[in-house]
Amino acid sequence: MEEYKEEKIKGCYRFCPCPSYDIRGTEEWLTDMASKGYHLEKKGIVLGSLFCFIKGEKKEVRYRLQATGWRDEPEDEVQEVSREYGWEYVDIRGDFYIWRTEDASARELITDSTVHAAAVEVLQKQQRNSIIWTIIEGVFFLILTRFSFLTLPICFGTWRVLLIGACLLYMLIKDIRKVKTIGKIKKQLLLGETPKPTYPWREKKGWYHIKNVAENVIWIVVVLLIVQGSLRLEGIGRKRQRYRLLL
């Protein structure tokens, strides 16, 4: 298979309009970009959502996502065998490898959907662990609020406390939805079906980008508020210590 050259004559960056676990949606989007002459650069994914494309000829390219199953990179032997069958490893996004081929006669990368489903199940377990940690963080936050019901609002402000709590709740709901979606993908693979897109990226990609930007801005604000509140809490502690020394 002809590999894409590293020379960048013309290129562009695009945010992926669907979640990292949306297997079919990501494949369709990358294939659509290739048909317009934009091909994903090897190791060209930045921060999981920003994709670097190289401008070239318009081609029919098939992209496939494969669950990593705890591995950071596919083994060299796996990449070599895949090249023999016409598939090129491109990059990793989240918990999925990204492969591509422009050979229309190349067989499917994943011929055993059961094996793929098993790898997706590992991903599902990871997300369940993430839910457990989010619940632990929420419980710790509630305990902290309960036993510091005077100090915490003074340091952080009542609205800041409510905002942090709302963000933790949103994170929990988002993780639960992600686990349910991954579970549906696993069931489709076990039935030998091609996973369906989990998000209508063609119709709502603009809304998806706006939502992601809003989420990132809110999380930056929350982190800054936590830092500010921690500094205030530290200041209160120092004042108390000085007061005790004076006594």
Side-chain angles (χ1 to χ4, degrees):
M1 179 186 140
E2 178 187 352
E3 294 191 0
Y4 294 91
K5 297 180 179 179
E6 296 294 332
E7 302 175 2
K8 287 195 249 181
I9 301 174
K10 291 183 180 179
C12 66
Y13 287 89
R14 294 287 186 275
F15 283 101
C16 185
C18 45
S20 60
Y21 55 86
D22 188 347
I23 296 177
R24 191 57 183 166
T26 305
E27 292 173 351
E28 288 182 353
W29 177 62
L30 290 172
T31 298
D32 184 70
M33 290 293 291
S35 67
K36 297 175 182 178
Y38 292 95
H39 307 282
L40 179 61
E41 182 182 5
K42 295 195 69 172
K43 306 292 183 182
I45 301 177
V46 182
L47 300 176
S49 296
L50 186 60
F51 286 49
C52 178
F53 291 92
I54 298 175
K55 178 64 175 175
E57 298 179 10
K58 298 179 180 180
K59 296 180 181 179
E60 292 297 324
V61 181
R62 276 186 291 161
Y63 281 87
R64 291 293 179 266
L65 267 64
Q66 179 186 23
T68 62
W70 301 104
R71 294 183 180 275
D72 294 331
E73 293 281 342
E75 297 178 348
D76 293 338
E77 295 180 1
V78 173
Q79 294 190 47
E80 183 63 32
V81 172
S82 298
R83 276 194 292 268
E84 292 178 1
Y85 285 103
W87 289 90
E88 176 191 14
Y89 171 68
V90 187
D91 205 343
I92 183 173
R93 184 197 183 201
D95 299 289
F96 292 91
Y97 301 134
I98 298 179
W99 303 81
R100 70 180 164 207
T101 182
E102 57 185 68
D103 184 359
S105 62
R107 72 169 194 176
E108 275 297 326
L109 177 67
I110 304 169
T111 55
D112 191 344
S113 58
T114 305
V115 175
H116 195 196
V120 171
E121 185 176 9
V122 172
L123 172 59
Q124 189 178 28
K125 291 179 180 179
Q126 292 175 351
Q127 294 304 315
R128 285 173 180 164
N129 293 336
S130 177
I131 290 177
I132 293 173
W133 279 110
T134 302
I135 292 174
I136 292 174
E137 291 171 357
V139 171
F140 176 77
F141 180 75
L142 290 175
I143 294 173
L144 184 63
T145 305
R146 173 66 180 84
F147 290 100
S148 306
F149 65 94
L150 289 177
T151 307
L152 202 64
I154 291 174
C155 297
F156 289 88
T158 304
W159 70 271
R160 292 181 177 89
V161 173
L162 293 175
L163 177 61
I164 295 171
C167 287
L168 288 173
L169 180 61
Y170 175 76
M171 185 190 301
L172 178 62
I173 294 173
K174 188 175 181 180
D175 285 343
I176 292 174
R177 290 182 62 185
K178 185 174 181 179
V179 169
K180 291 178 65 176
T181 302
I182 294 173
K184 292 179 181 178
I185 293 173
K186 184 183 71 174
K187 288 180 180 179
Q188 292 171 0
L189 291 171
L190 288 173
L191 293 173
E193 300 175 356
T194 301
K196 300 176 182 178
T198 63
Y199 188 83
W201 64 270
R202 295 182 188 275
E203 296 82 11
K204 296 184 178 182
K205 60 181 178 181
W207 168 248
Y208 180 80
H209 293 323
I210 293 173
K211 181 173 69 71
N212 276 350
V213 170
E215 286 180 3
N216 291 330
V217 170
I218 289 173
W219 281 116
I220 291 173
V221 171
V222 168
V223 171
L224 292 176
L225 291 177
I226 292 175
V227 171
Q228 183 185 29
S230 299
L231 292 175
R232 286 184 179 179
L233 186 61
E234 185 179 353
I236 291 175
R238 288 177 180 175
K239 288 181 180 179
R240 285 180 178 177
Q241 188 176 7
R242 291 175 184 173
Y243 180 72
R244 289 172 183 173
L245 290 174
L246 290 174
L247 292 177

